[in-house]
Amino acid sequence: MIASDFLVMSKNGLYCKAGDFYLDPPGAAQVAVISHAHADHAAKGHAVRYATAPTLAIIKLRDSSICNSISVAKGYKEAFYINGVKLTFYPAGHILGSAQVLMEWNNARYLYTGDIKLQEDPTCEAAEFCKADVLITETTFANPSIKHPDPEMEIRKLNDIPYPILLGAYSLGKSQRLIALINRFCPGKRVLVHYRTEPVNQLYRQFGFNPGNSELYSRKRSKEAGIDSVYLVPPLTFNSYLRAPGVVRLFASGWDHLQVKNGTGLFISDHADWDDLLTVIRLVKPSEIWTVHGSGVYLKEHFRNSLIVNILA
Ligand SMILES: [Zn+2]
């Protein structure tokens, strides 16, 4: 039977009382289950954290202090228990190591998706869904008017730019996906990467997800590559190169407001759009949907006669 308070939104994010643990808490917690290594899901300071091995490796790369706490690695589909709640990770297709968390308790199944992506991406494990009574999902782009364009069409725009390109992207997940896309669809371009992105690339390779050819940025290499160069940089660096002369600036994101004004937009998102979310709901077949991150109002309206939709946050 579904317990309406199995997960509650506390001051420190989603809390499971039966298991006494938090899901992706934004602040330090005694026990945290982490869906993936993006900073807004993997906060610092937990005493005990459960995650997949790649997620823990990425967190460790960014925060060596986790060595002072307990990290428990669990593989996909490897069930484990926290205080009587049975948990199982399923691939979320978002970035390397990203996981959905299936929680089983008192004859009900609760699936927390974390961030999910259905679009093809060779740089991470493909999303896999299981049936659940309650689907707890992000609603970052849960709006019928949002449809992410085909990433192949988007990345091919680079081929039409006869200038060096400064490409802004998050260093974890998005950058590796872009390297793979450029390798495949823009073979004339040379990818140069920022020194802060390279260690993440190395981790991806270590876990068997080689993003493809890229070189560490240097002035010499950039000069050699000339108009074929695509210099991939994290957002902070991107914003500090405001006036780079003769360089076309692009920021890769699913968000409108992050696109460079008056420039070419590069709409490549690592989240589910409206249609993808409906696909997920068809696959999971929940009788209730609980929403977090973003706005659940469109889902609530869409399913008003067929499903219970609770907006948790
Ligand atoms: Zn994320």
Side-chain angles (χ1 to χ4, degrees):
M1 201 180 85
I2 294 169
S4 60
D5 60 352
F6 179 72
L7 291 176
V8 292
M9 191 51 78
S10 74
K11 273 189 192 147
N12 200 14
L14 276 177
Y15 175 64
C16 174
K17 199 172 157 194
D20 194 16
F21 60 82
Y22 290 84
L23 289 167
D24 292 341
Q30 188 59 36
V31 180
V33 177
I34 307 292
S35 66
H36 67 289
H38 276 149
D40 55 337
H41 291 256
K44 293 183 177 186
H46 307 312
V48 182
R49 66 180 65 67
Y50 292 82
T52 63
T55 295
L56 291 173
I58 300 164
I59 295 173
K60 195 171 162 195
L61 184 71
R62 299 177 147 194
D63 174 20
S64 55
S65 72
I66 77 159
C67 298
N68 304 324
S69 55
I70 299 169
S71 295
V72 186
K74 293 291 174 187
Y76 294 122
K77 300 179 185 172
E78 177 194 350
F80 59 101
Y81 286 84
I82 304 179
N83 295 321
V85 176
K86 184 180 177 186
L87 294 93
T88 315
F89 289 145
Y90 282 82
H94 176 61
I95 61 168
L96 176 70
S98 64
Q100 307 174 71
V101 185
L102 174 70
M103 292 155 283
E104 294 171 82
W105 186 72
N106 208 5
N107 297 319
R109 290 161 64 88
Y110 305 82
L111 180 68
Y112 167 67
T113 62
D115 290 347
I116 36 168
K117 175 169 94 255
L118 270 62
Q119 284 182 345
E120 185 200 334
D121 179 359
T123 65
C124 68
E125 309 84 354
E128 263 183 64
F129 296 92
C130 63
K131 297 207 170 52
D133 303 297
V134 179
L135 175 69
I136 303 103
T137 187
E138 62 148 336
T139 45
T140 310
F141 292 104
N143 180 327
S145 69
I146 294 177
K147 188 165 171 49
H148 296 322
D150 179 359
E152 178 185 337
M153 300 306 287
E154 287 298 292
I155 204 74
R156 281 187 187 279
K157 287 177 182 174
L158 303 190
N159 292 326
D160 303 328
I161 301 175
Y163 300 98
I165 296 169
L166 184 73
L167 181 54
Y170 293 111
S171 59
L172 168 58
K174 183 61 63 69
S175 288
Q176 293 70 36
R177 189 178 180 205
L178 289 171
I179 293 169
L181 283 166
I182 295 168
N183 268 265
R184 188 165 166 204
F185 299 113
C186 314
K189 296 288 182 188
R190 242 172 102 173
V191 185
L192 305 174
V193 297
H194 192 260
Y195 72 94
R196 292 186 64 174
T197 305
E198 183 52 25
V200 185
N201 292 350
Q202 283 173 13
L203 243 168
Y204 267 63
R205 288 185 200 108
Q206 207 178 304
F207 281 96
F209 289 89
N210 187 354
N213 294 328
S214 65
E215 305 160 72
L216 194 60
Y217 172 86
S218 71
R219 271 170 194 269
K220 187 171 167 272
R221 283 183 178 145
S222 170
K223 235 180 168 171
E224 274 170 20
I227 59 167
D228 294 328
S229 99
V230 179
Y231 180 22
L232 199 51
V233 297
L236 267 179
T237 312
F238 183 77
N239 292 327
S240 68
Y241 272 87
L242 266 181
R243 276 189 280 271
V247 171
V248 171
R249 302 168 75 249
L250 298 170
F251 195 90
S253 171
W255 290 107
D256 240 336
H257 68 266
L258 287 179
Q259 304 293 333
V260 180
K261 291 199 176 52
N262 306 319
T264 309
L266 200 64
F267 284 88
I268 296 181
S269 172
D270 292 331
H271 293 263
D273 65 7
W274 176 255
D275 287 343
D276 289 342
L277 211 48
L278 295 187
T279 302
V280 172
I281 293 163
R282 266 196 302 277
L283 293 169
V284 175
K285 297 188 177 17
S287 49
E288 295 191 17
I289 299 170
W290 301 351
T291 70
V292 290
H293 297 296
S295 170
V297 293
Y298 293 103
L299 277 181
K300 199 175 175 96
E301 170 64 17
H302 185 81
F303 289 108
R304 67 185 181 281
N305 297 321
S306 50
L307 282 177
I308 294 169
V309 178
N310 283 334
I311 298 171
L312 295 189

